[in-house]
Amino acid sequence: MTKQERLANLRARMEADMKLPLRLGATQLVFGDGNPDTQVYFLGEAPGYYEDKQGNPFVGLAGKLLDKLLEEIGLERPKVYISNVVRFRPPGNRDPEPDEIAAFRPYVDEEIEIIDPKIIVTLGRFSMGKFLPDVKISQVHGKAFKISFQGKPVLVLPMYHPAAALRAGAILEQLREDFKLIRKALDRADFTEVMQVSDNKVEEGLKTDQLSLI
Ligand code: URA
């Protein structure tokens, strides 16, 4: 099966899974979107109003900002894959609950397995928590973490959520700066060769300016 076929199969199983939470209050499932052959997988939080209406992730104001930030580093949206930890819109855009995130987790994990990215950019604290539990986003944003996920090396880059950047200019400036790390990581095609860490264990966090040490 091709990646597209595997993703279509995954989507169909999610559509049919009546045990998934938040379905009743939502218009539709918001599946991941983008280039399945990308090296860069973005993971956000949950669909908002416009995503719920249109059925695609990051199409509202936060999505427009994400598009702009991607363009600024020469990585236009069609080149990446974008998804969320929760796939139905929580009522009134409230934060997703831990049990809701847990219910979607096997599907998110399978999606990551299919895409097989080298770099995972987490947007906001909920997706960050999937890979880097017990850290504060204010302390780790814009750093690179070499981890092993599903037995494979991957570089996790935690970033602020674009919606937070829309609310505060200082966060926007930080996010714009942190995005440059994605470009740096991509330009170092050989970085996977030095990632040998045990499963689900965070080996080390590197500051932006330390990335060349990888
Ligand atoms: N915020 C998210 O986290 N995801 C979306 O898809 C839209 C806004």
Side-chain angles (χ1 to χ4, degrees):
M1 269 205 279
T2 64
K3 283 187 176 187
Q4 275 93 345
E5 286 167 340
R6 291 176 69 196
L7 287 168
N9 174 283
L10 177 67
R11 183 190 193 122
R13 279 183 283 123
M14 291 185 85
E15 306 265 14
D17 184 350
M18 292 303 150
K19 291 205 294 290
L20 282 175
L22 299 167
R23 180 189 293 272
L24 279 180
T27 307
Q28 57 189 317
L29 179 85
V30 177
F31 196 70
D33 178 53
N35 182 351
D37 296 315
T38 187
Q39 297 200 335
V40 195
Y41 175 94
F42 286 80
L43 191 59
E45 183 180 317
Y49 177 85
Y50 292 101
E51 290 78 21
D52 177 69
K53 291 277 170 268
Q54 294 185 31
N56 279 314
F58 283 96
V59 290
L61 275 182
K64 298 276 173 292
L65 175 57
L66 179 59
D67 290 353
K68 188 158 176 278
L69 292 168
L70 283 169
E71 258 177 52
E72 285 176 11
I73 57 165
L75 187 70
E76 293 73 20
R77 180 153 171 163
K79 294 183 183 156
V80 303
Y81 192 92
I82 300 178
S83 201
N84 283 306
V85 287
V86 160
R87 307 299 176 87
F88 288 115
R89 182 192 181 204
N93 290 352
R94 67 157 169 76
D95 287 348
E97 302 283 347
D99 62 325
E100 291 163 351
I101 295 172
F104 285 93
R105 185 174 300 132
Y107 294 109
V108 178
D109 286 351
E110 193 174 330
E111 187 180 54
I112 295 172
E113 195 192 327
I114 295 169
I115 305 288
D116 192 20
K118 293 201 168 24
I119 299 169
I120 295 179
V121 181
T122 61
L123 300 171
R125 62 199 161 97
F126 293 102
S127 57
M128 178 187 72
K130 176 174 177 63
F131 306 98
L132 308 171
D134 308 320
V135 298
K136 282 213 162 86
I137 196 162
S138 57
Q139 285 165 357
V140 300
H141 71 87
K143 296 180 184 178
F145 290 83
K146 299 185 294 180
I147 71 162
S148 174
F149 186 71
Q150 299 169 334
K152 288 184 184 166
V154 67
L155 201 65
V156 173
L157 309 181
M159 314 238 160
Y160 283 116
H161 196 289
L166 288 173
R167 291 190 295 265
I171 299 269
L172 175 57
E173 284 322 301
Q174 196 58 70
L175 186 60
R176 180 166 272 133
E177 194 58 36
D178 291 350
F179 255 60
K180 294 179 187 162
L181 182 63
I182 306 172
R183 172 46 61 203
K184 275 193 185 177
L186 267 174
D187 290 345
R188 288 195 58 92
D190 60 341
F191 71 83
T192 52
E193 286 167 23
V194 294
M195 280 191 267
Q196 281 163 10
V197 293
S198 56
D199 242 1
N200 289 328
K201 184 170 163 287
V202 175
E203 174 92 333
E204 65 189 286
L206 298 165
K207 288 209 177 93
T208 311
D209 55 4
Q210 291 175 319
L211 189 68
S212 57
L213 299 177
I214 290 178

